[in-house]
């Protein structure tokens, strides 16, 4: 009984304890961090800029907040807005933003930056300088759209001699540039533009076919074709996707049924045409083979097969592409509408026997091993009287403009359909004051909002210029150079032989970005 | 004294246990037998060697025992009542020996191709027997059986993909011609490039024959021989 009483007394005493703790309640001003993109893509020469937007639970009390940006556990800035300058190439750099209030409560948000090589996108220039092959690259900044020149990249370790042409091979986010030259062709790694593979090693046995020099080529992803100086194509069918150099080129000529076939040029067309086009100068005709992106089980036997061009009910006066007769093919290029497949649109410039020039346009759609032609148009070219046999041309990717050069003058011909009839409108774009030797488009799909792309212009003085040939620029020809000029090099690049737009990978080859 | 007796005895025993034990080496008889077991008969086809009328087929025998510093003879005989190959279709070496310092030997049986081999297989059975220096080894390795033929049959690598994408429908005539033209009889495990390469060689040869007025037909003398590969 005594014990129970003691216990009860102790419990009662405990209930009288005074709580002497200190509790200062404060209102938490919660912060929401917005305005950060999930990913930003820049090149190594760019700056990524971030402008976070903070939303406070109590907007009247925004004092006392501190900011901290971190990259890989390193503090990089204590400002809210960040100008991030990358120092390395990486597909996924995570940047963290911490917003901390005066009580020490921190709020966190992240954003990702992909840093591409400065060589990822841009113009590759092949030139001859002091008897040697020279290579220059104009890297395009994602941030500013400007070009950074990397000139004479192999001056200390020459590539070779006798430059001929450029090509590019693309697989997903990988690519290479192939340099064709008399002294032996090779490819450059697309990330760092270092030597990658000798073209001779791409043949079984490590050598070109006997007695043949490879002078150009086109890599169409499913089927790659090299052109020999013997007028033959040497083809490889890529058996798998996602891999460069997956297999060898055949060291035997690609067979074509018509006797006398001699390929004079390869006509680059977009991979989504699923066909690879050439001009057979032996028979003066267009010649195409299949080229799906990659073979599946149901087309492995037909990859590279010759396609039959069914010209259908072409109108009178339309030069047959299966037999061009006395007409001479001066220029051929493709254009495409967005998101089309198995469709090829070509614009050709033909020289007639009377010395005049005509422009021929048509569409072919592919089904199996057959190409069916439609939308035939052939008419005198608006550049008649100006163009010659040596005129350089370039077709804008949407086919709306064809550019050509006479001397130092750059002209455009706009194709515009009025009342169902395609008409041509000629205008002078700019006088560069010195002979233009090459024109090259930044070959890509057209963004309908921008309507146009960059045009590369090579001059006889060894200078290279880039002008945006967008609709707004071309509609104001008087000020086209002023409004459209993007880049102008010094006149020391050598004799420019070939210019190529570098996609940076097949992913961007199929996007709608305009250059 | 009694209390020291046990430790002393233990010490003596321990001393006695610490003797050097010489490692013995094999010191028994030496045996010879075929490296391959009897149940695993071997096979050979002249189809893959269309231009050869003879072939030296290797047979390996193994030594069970110690290598010696001299050649040691053994014997190999044909088992007549288990051999269907006529004497004209084979020839054995005159002598057999495990060479000095060797633990195996390879001898070669010369196989001879005759026309009758195109219609079937023949069997050669060999038995190894010992000598004064070498005894016969494991029972299941004392006999070697070799089947050989010149009859062509569809190889396992000529599968549905080969049929649909490369060489097309199989026929004995096509296979024999393919081997003659390309020199390749086995495309097992070949990479895509090689399959395409050899198919194109054969395809080009067929084209050349047709262009020269010697169109090649299948055995029905009506169907033009062709391949499935179209591109190239």
């Amino acid at each position: 009984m005594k014990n129970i009483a003691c216990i009860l007394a102790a419990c009662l005493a405990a209930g009288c304890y005074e709580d002497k703790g200190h509790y200062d309640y404060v209102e938490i001003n919660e912060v929401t961090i917005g305005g950060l993109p999930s990913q930003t893509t820049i090149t190594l020469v760019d700056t990524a800029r971030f402008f976070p937007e903070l939303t406070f639970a109590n907007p009247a009390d925004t004092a006392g907040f501190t900011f901290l940006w971190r990259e890989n556990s390193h503090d990089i800035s204590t400002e809210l807005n960040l100008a991030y300058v990358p120092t390395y190439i990486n597909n996924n750099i995570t940047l963290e933003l911490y917003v901390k209030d005066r009580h020490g409560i921190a709020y966190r948000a992240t954003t990702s930056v992909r840093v591409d090589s400065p060589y990822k996108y841009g113009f590759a220039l092949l030139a001859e300088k002091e008897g040697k092959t020279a290579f220059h690259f104009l890297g395009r900044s994602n941030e500013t759209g400007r070009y950074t020149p990397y000139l004479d990249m192999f001056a200390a370790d020459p590539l070779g001699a006798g430059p001929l042409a450029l090509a590019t091979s693309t697989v997903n986010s990988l690519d290479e540039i192939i340099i064709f030259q008399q002294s032996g062709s090779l490819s450059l790694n697309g990330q760092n533009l270092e030597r990658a593979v000798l073209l001779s090693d791409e043949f079984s046995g490590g050598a070109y076919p006997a007695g043949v020099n490879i002078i150009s080529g086109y890599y169409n992803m499913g089927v790659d074709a090299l052109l020999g100086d013997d007028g033959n194509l040497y083809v490889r069918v890529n058996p798998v996707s996602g891999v460069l150099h997956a297999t060898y080129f055949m060291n035997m000529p690609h067979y074509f049924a018509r006797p006398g076939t001699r390929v004079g040029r390869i006509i680059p067309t977009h991979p989504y045409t699923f066909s690879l086009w050439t001009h057979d100068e032996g028979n003066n005709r267009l010649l195409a083979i299949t080229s799906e992106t990659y073979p599946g089980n149901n087309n492995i036997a037909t990859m590279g097969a010759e396609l039959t061009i069914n010209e259908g009910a072409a109108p009178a006066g339309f030069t047959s592409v299966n037999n061009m007769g006395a007409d001479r093919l001066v220029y051929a290029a493709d254009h495409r509408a967005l998101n089309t497949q198995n469709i090829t649109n070509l614009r050709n410039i033909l020289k007639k026997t009377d010395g005049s020039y005509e422009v021929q346009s048509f569409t072919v759609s592919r089904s199996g091993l057959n190409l069916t032609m439609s939308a035939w148009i052939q008419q005198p070219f608006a550049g008649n009287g100006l163009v010659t046999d040596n005129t350089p041309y370039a077709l804008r990717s949407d086919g709306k403009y064809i550019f050509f050069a006479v001397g130092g003058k750059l002209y455009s011909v706009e194709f515009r359909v009025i009342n169902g009839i395609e008409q041509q409108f000629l205008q002078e774009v700019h006088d560069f004051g010195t002979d233009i030797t090459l024109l090259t488009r930044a070959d890509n799909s057209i963004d309908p909002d921008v309507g146009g792309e960059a045009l590369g212009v090579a001059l006889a003085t060894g200078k290279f210029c880039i002008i945006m040939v967008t609709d707004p620029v071309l509609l104001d020809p008087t000020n086209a150079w002023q409004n459209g000029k993007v880049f102008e090099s010094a006149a020391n690049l050598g004799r420019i032989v070939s210019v190529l737009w570098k996609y940076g990978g097949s992913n961007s080859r199929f996007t709608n970005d305009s250059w | 004294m009694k209390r020291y007796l046990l430790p002393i005895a233990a010490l003596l025993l321990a001393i006695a246990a610490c003797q050097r034990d010489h490692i013995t080496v094999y010191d028994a008889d030496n045996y010879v037998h075929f490296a391959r077991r009897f149940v695993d008969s071997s096979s050979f086809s002249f189809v893959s060697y269309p231009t050869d009328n003879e072939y030296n087929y290797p047979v390996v025998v193994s030594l069970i025992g110690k290598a010696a510093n001299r050649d040691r003879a053994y014997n190999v005989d044909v088992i007549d009542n288990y051999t269907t190959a006529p004497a004209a279709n084979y020839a054995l070496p005159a002598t057999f020996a495990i060479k000095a310092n060797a633990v195996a030997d390879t001898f070669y049986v010369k196989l001879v191709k005759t026309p009758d081999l195109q219609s079937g297989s023949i069997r050669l059975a060999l038995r190894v027997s010992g000598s004064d220096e070498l005894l016969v080894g494991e029972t299941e390795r004392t006999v070697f059986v070799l089947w050989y033929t010149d009859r062509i049959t569809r190889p396992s690598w000529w599968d549905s993909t080969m049929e649909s994408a490369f060489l097309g429908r199989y026929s004995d005539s096509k296979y024999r011609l393919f081997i003659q033209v390309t020199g390749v009889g086995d495309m097992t495990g070949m990479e895509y490039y090689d399959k395409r390469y050899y198919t194109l060689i054969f395809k080009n040869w067929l084209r050349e024959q047709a262009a020269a007025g010697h169109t090649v037909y299948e055995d029905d003398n009506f169907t033009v021989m062709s391949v499935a590969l179209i591109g190239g």
Side-chain angles (χ1 to χ4, degrees), chain A residues 95-320:
Chain A
L95 303 179
E96 300 170 287
L97 169 63
Y98 292 89
V99 177
K100 191 186 290 188
D101 68 15
R102 57 180 179 272
H103 305 295
I105 297 172
Y107 303 86
R108 176 180 174 271
T110 63
T111 185
S112 167
V113 178
R114 190 180 96 183
V115 181
D116 287 331
S117 161
Y119 309 132
K120 189 166 179 70
Y121 311 108
F123 283 99
L125 281 64
L126 186 69
E128 186 169 52
K129 203 170 174 184
E130 298 167 1
K132 297 190 185 67
T133 297
F135 181 83
H136 317 288
F137 188 75
L138 307 179
R140 185 184 181 277
S141 161
N142 268 6
E143 179 196 6
T144 64
R146 295 200 174 89
Y147 291 82
T148 302
Y150 302 90
L151 305 181
D152 293 304
M153 294 188 75
F154 295 91
D157 183 15
L159 292 168
L164 295 168
L166 291 170
T168 182
S169 179
T170 61
V171 164
N172 296 336
S173 61
L174 303 175
D175 68 335
E176 288 186 348
I177 292 178
I178 299 89
I179 295 175
F180 297 97
Q181 55 181 1
Q182 295 284 6
S183 62
S185 306
L186 73 158
S187 60
L188 304 180
N189 181 300
Q191 280 277 87
N192 53 28
L193 294 184
E194 293 179 0
R195 288 172 166 87
V197 176
L198 293 176
L199 188 60
S200 55
D201 287 341
E202 302 254 49
F203 287 90
S204 178
Y208 290 162
V212 176
N213 197 17
I214 303 298
I215 59 176
S216 74
Y218 189 64
Y219 293 63
N220 214 22
M221 296 171 64
V223 173
D224 301 333
L226 300 175
L227 178 59
D229 58 1
D230 59 352
N232 286 312
L233 284 187
Y234 297 88
V235 168
R236 74 175 165 199
V237 174
N238 294 307
V240 294
S241 64
V243 179
L244 291 169
H245 311 291
T247 187
Y248 292 114
F249 283 95
M250 287 290 150
N251 59 8
M252 65 187 87
H254 201 73
Y255 176 79
F256 294 106
R258 191 184 294 190
T261 296
R262 181 182 174 87
V263 175
R265 75 175 85 176
I266 298 173
I267 302 168
T269 54
H270 195 277
Y272 271 171
T273 62
F274 298 141
S275 51
L276 193 150
W277 287 74
T278 68
H279 176 242
D280 168 14
E281 62 182 21
N283 295 292
N284 198 14
R285 60 168 180 152
L286 294 185
L287 180 58
I289 61 176
T290 66
S291 174
E292 275 85 4
T293 45
Y294 293 104
N297 287 334
N298 59 348
N299 65 0
I300 196 169
T302 58
M303 290 284 279
E306 185 175 344
L307 292 162
T308 301
I309 304 175
N310 302 303
E311 298 189 76
F318 187 88
T319 301
S320 167

